[in-house]
Amino acid sequence: MDKQRIDRFISNQLGISRSAVRTGIRRGLARVNGECVKDCAASLVPGKDAVIYGGNEISYKEYVYIVLNKPAGIICASRDKTQKTVLDLVPEEYKKRRLSAVGRLDKDTTGLLIITDDGDFAHRCISPKSDIEKSYIVGLDGDINGDIVAAFGEGVTLADGYRCKPAFLESVGERRARVVITEGKYHQVKRMFGVFGLGVVSLHRESVGKLKLPENLGEGECVEVPDIAEMMGL
Ligand code: URA
């Protein structure tokens, strides 16, 4: 691990402004390996040197993995001039990191969204080679039948001629279905049902691979999942 300036390290790890950290360092709030450090330009080795700030040890994390229960009405972008984005819902302590959403959910889609600053992990998640199953509960404006289930299993051909990979489809109630796909084309689920004249009235992602949306995570809430890669077998 490369050396890092102490002010940058503390600011990034704790999500507090660089200027506030500098003031704290000058006042003697920082200790590295037991020694008080008042020089904001001093360097340390993240993960190796023990850093205490304001009496609390900083447990170093190279990357963070956050699961958000995305509410409807929020866009999956890093920032937007007019609309609220999923990154606006991330707790302040993570905001100094270069976070992005892993893949995209439509503005009106709810449920499980992974947010991370680990680009390699994100890439592995969305790579078509990974074949990760994404499971959705879909509210429809009509009912599915055996022919539609069979067509999903064969691979639906979308209006633009793209042939989707085989998908699992089952009814889970009146005008409600579970669909499991292994790709992530633009508006894919909506377009798949559209082929059969069915409109999607609600769309909720319940899992990505082995990772399920935690039941106790309310809409708009986030939870950090440090061992996400092992959990997902990635
Ligand atoms: N398919 C869609 O149509 N929309 C989503 O948000 C996700 C999958």
Side-chain angles (χ1 to χ4, degrees):
M1 176 57 64
D2 291 342
K3 286 186 172 182
Q4 229 179 69
R5 273 179 66 123
I6 187 169
D7 53 356
R8 178 160 176 251
F9 174 84
I10 296 173
S11 165
N12 288 353
Q13 292 298 310
L14 298 184
I16 45 185
S17 76
R18 195 81 68 90
S19 60
V21 169
R22 283 192 188 129
T23 306
I25 292 173
R26 286 190 203 107
R27 287 192 184 148
L29 293 187
R31 302 185 84 81
V32 178
N33 300 326
E35 300 282 316
C36 182
V37 175
K38 289 189 174 180
D39 176 6
C40 299
S43 58
L44 54 83
V45 182
K48 182 167 172 279
D49 292 321
V51 185
I52 290 178
Y53 185 73
N56 299 311
E57 186 161 352
I58 299 178
S59 61
Y60 169 67
K61 290 176 216 162
E62 186 171 10
Y63 301 119
V64 292
Y65 308 90
I66 296 163
V67 167
L68 167 70
N69 183 357
K70 180 190 171 299
I74 309 281
I75 60 167
C76 269
S78 297
R79 63 183 69 83
D80 190 89
K81 285 199 182 105
T82 55
Q83 301 189 71
K84 208 166 173 185
T85 79
V86 288
L87 293 192
D88 293 326
L89 300 178
V90 168
E92 215 50 48
E93 64 191 280
Y94 302 112
K95 288 205 170 149
K96 291 246 148 215
R97 292 175 174 266
R98 291 205 181 122
L99 295 171
S100 13
V102 177
R104 295 268 175 275
L105 291 177
D106 297 338
K107 186 174 174 181
D108 53 357
T109 300
T110 59
L112 196 165
L113 183 73
I114 302 169
I115 295 174
T116 185
D117 50 357
D118 182 348
D120 284 346
F121 168 77
H123 184 73
R124 292 200 300 281
C125 272
I126 57 176
S127 161
K129 283 191 212 135
S130 303
D131 256 354
I132 294 180
E133 293 188 336
K134 283 146 269 207
S135 178
Y136 297 87
I137 297 294
V138 194
L140 296 161
D141 62 3
D143 277 314
I144 59 168
N145 57 38
D147 289 344
I148 302 177
V149 171
F152 269 56
E154 290 287 309
V156 174
T157 301
L158 300 178
D160 63 3
Y162 175 76
R163 173 102 186 254
C164 298
K165 288 189 189 168
F168 173 81
L169 176 63
E170 66 174 354
S171 171
V172 291
E174 203 180 317
R175 299 185 170 193
R176 274 169 69 79
R178 171 176 288 113
V179 61
V180 183
I181 57 175
T182 55
E183 335 168 73
K185 302 276 174 221
Y186 181 66
H187 290 336
Q188 178 155 351
V189 171
K190 292 172 183 163
R191 287 157 73 209
M192 287 169 84
F193 284 102
V195 170
F196 303 94
L198 288 170
V200 169
V201 296
S202 64
L203 187 56
H204 176 82
R205 186 152 73 184
E206 56 178 3
S207 63
V208 176
K210 288 186 200 138
L211 183 74
K212 288 194 172 65
L213 185 67
E215 269 172 27
N216 54 359
L217 193 66
E219 278 204 358
E221 287 180 1
C222 291
V223 64
E224 205 182 318
V225 184
D227 53 351
I228 201 165
E230 291 107 279
M231 282 174 73
M232 294 178 66
L234 286 172

